[in-house]
C-alpha cells in the first residue's frame, strides 16, 4: 500500500510538470491543493521552504513588507511567521492553492497572478520577495525577474530557490548575469546545493540565491 502511495505522489509531480500551458498548470494545482502539504511532507520530505526561509531571515529585517511569489499553500508564509515576520503578501496562479494558504493565517493579502506576466503591483511595493520552487521548467521563466525587481524597492532583497541544471540550461544564468551587468541587482550570496526532496526525489538538488535590488 505504501509503495502505491509513493508512486501516486511521484506521478502527481510529473503530471504537474507536464502541463502544456499556464491554464492547465493552474487547473492542476487547483486539483492538487488539498493534498499538497501532505504529499510534499510525507512523500518527499520537502526542505525547500525551510532552507530558503532560514537563508532569507539572515538578510531581511522582521518589519519588511514581503511578497511570497508563488506562495502555493503557504508553507513559506507559515515558516516566515514563526520567524517573526508579519507583513506578508501571497501571490499564486492557483486560486485553489491560495484558498489553502488562507488557512495558515500567515498573510495579510492574497492575489491571483502569474509569474512571467506583468504584476499588478506598484513599483517599489515590497521590501523583499521570496520565491521557493517556482522559478523552474514549465513554471516561472527567467524573465520573471524583471517584474520582481520592479516591484522591490532599491536596497530590498529577492531570494529564491533554483535547480542548478535549470540555472545552467534554461536561460537563468544569462538573465541573472545580464541584470547584474545592467546594474539592476547585485548578488549577495548563494547557498550550497542541497537535496530539496530527499525522500521522494533524492537526485534533485536546489540552490538558494539572494540578490539585492539596486535599481527598479
Amino acid at each position: 500500500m505504501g509503495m502505491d502511495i509513493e508512486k501516486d505522489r511521484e506521478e502527481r509531480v510529473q503530471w504537474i510538470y507536464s502541463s502544456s500551458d499556464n491554464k492547465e498548470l493552474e487547473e492542476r494545482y487547483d486539483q492538487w491543493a488539498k493534498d499538497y502539504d501532505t504529499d510534499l511532507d510525507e512523500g518527499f520530505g520537502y526542505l525547500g521552504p525551510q532552507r530558503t526561509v532560514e537563508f532569507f531571515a539572515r538578510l531581511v529585517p522582521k518589519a519588511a513588507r514581503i511578497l511570497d511569489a508563488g506562495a502555493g499553500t503557504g508553507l513559506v508564509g507559515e515558516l516566515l511567521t514563526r520567524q517573526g515576520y508579519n507583513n506578508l503578501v501571497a501571490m499564486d496562479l492557483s486560486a485553489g492553492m491560495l484558498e489553502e494558504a488562507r488557512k495558515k493565517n500567515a498573510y495579510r493579502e492574497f492575489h491571483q497572478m502569474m509569474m512571467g506576466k506583468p504584476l499588478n503591483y506598484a513599483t517599489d511595493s515590497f521590501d523583499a520577495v521570496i520565491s521557493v520552487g517556482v522559478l523552474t521548467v514549465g513554471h516561472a521563466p527567467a524573465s520573471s525577474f524583471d517584474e520582481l525587481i520592479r516591484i522591490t524597492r532599491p536596497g530590498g532583497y529577492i531570494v529564491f530557490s533554483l535547480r542548478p541544471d535549470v540555472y545552467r540550461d534554461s536561460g537563468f544564468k544569462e538573465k541573472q548575469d545580464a541584470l547584474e551587468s545592467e546594474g539592476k541587482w547585485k548578488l549577495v550570496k548563494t547557498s550550497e546545493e542541497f537535496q530539496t526532496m530527499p525522500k521522494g526525489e533524492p537526485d534533485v538538488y536546489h540552490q538558494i540565491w539572494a540578490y539585492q535590488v539596486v535599481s527598479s
Side-chain angles (χ1 to χ4, degrees), residues 40-98:
L40 287 187
D41 183 26
E42 294 180 7
F44 295 98
Y46 188 37
L47 297 175
Q50 179 185 332
R51 292 286 181 87
T52 310
V53 165
E54 289 169 358
F55 200 82
F56 182 91
R58 291 195 285 268
L59 295 170
V60 178
K62 298 295 188 285
R65 183 171 191 247
I66 298 161
L67 177 66
D68 185 356
T73 58
L75 295 172
V76 167
E78 195 171 36
L79 292 168
L80 284 171
T81 300
R82 287 182 202 160
Q83 291 273 359
Y85 295 94
N86 62 13
N87 193 354
L88 308 179
V89 175
M91 183 193 88
D92 200 85
L93 90 163
S94 162
M97 296 295 252
L98 288 172

Side-chain angles (χ1 to χ4, degrees), residues 79-137:
L79 292 168
L80 284 171
T81 300
R82 287 182 202 160
Q83 291 273 359
Y85 295 94
N86 62 13
N87 193 354
L88 308 179
V89 175
M91 183 193 88
D92 200 85
L93 90 163
S94 162
M97 296 295 252
L98 288 172
E99 277 305 305
E100 294 301 311
R102 287 179 191 276
K103 300 174 185 177
K104 303 287 198 299
N105 294 316
Y107 301 95
R108 294 188 180 186
E109 300 171 34
F110 300 85
H111 303 126
Q112 188 177 5
M113 298 184 206
M114 190 172 297
M115 296 264 275
K117 306 284 186 184
L119 301 178
N120 190 24
Y121 296 116
T123 297
D124 300 345
S125 287
F126 296 96
D127 298 306
V129 173
I130 187 168
S131 190
V132 181
V134 182
L135 293 147
T136 189
V137 175

Side-chain angles (χ1 to χ4, degrees), residues 95-212:
M97 296 295 252
L98 288 172
E99 277 305 305
E100 294 301 311
R102 287 179 191 276
K103 300 174 185 177
K104 303 287 198 299
N105 294 316
Y107 301 95
R108 294 188 180 186
E109 300 171 34
F110 300 85
H111 303 126
Q112 188 177 5
M113 298 184 206
M114 190 172 297
M115 296 264 275
K117 306 284 186 184
L119 301 178
N120 190 24
Y121 296 116
T123 297
D124 300 345
S125 287
F126 296 96
D127 298 306
V129 173
I130 187 168
S131 190
V132 181
V134 182
L135 293 147
T136 189
V137 175
H139 287 56
S143 60
S144 303
F145 291 133
D146 292 322
E147 277 291 89
L148 296 184
I149 288 171
R150 181 186 68 77
I151 65 174
T152 305
R153 64 166 180 81
Y157 292 92
I158 298 174
V159 179
F160 56 91
S161 66
L162 191 59
R163 272 173 33 189
D165 59 322
V166 173
Y167 168 71
R168 289 190 304 269
D169 304 333
S170 299
F172 282 86
K173 181 182 188 305
E174 291 80 3
K175 182 64 174 177
Q176 289 168 229
D177 289 349
L179 288 168
E180 192 153 24
S181 297
E182 292 162 14
K184 293 292 187 179
W185 67 8
K186 61 181 179 183
L187 181 62
V188 177
K189 61 195 300 189
T190 59
S191 75
E192 297 294 317
E193 296 178 15
F194 64 95
Q195 291 173 305
T196 191
M197 296 181 180
K199 284 163 63 177
E201 294 187 340
D203 297 334
V204 174
Y205 284 77
H206 273 70
Q207 190 172 20
I208 303 161
W209 296 77
Y211 284 89
Q212 188 170 34

Side-chain angles (χ1 to χ4, degrees), residues 22-56:
N22 286 329
K23 184 64 180 168
E24 189 169 64
L25 186 68
E26 177 186 345
E27 290 168 353
R28 290 183 177 186
Y29 269 119
D30 283 349
Q31 291 177 53
W32 192 16
K34 291 197 182 306
D35 296 321
Y36 182 85
D37 289 4
T38 302
D39 283 354
L40 287 187
D41 183 26
E42 294 180 7
F44 295 98
Y46 188 37
L47 297 175
Q50 179 185 332
R51 292 286 181 87
T52 310
V53 165
E54 289 169 358
F55 200 82
F56 182 91

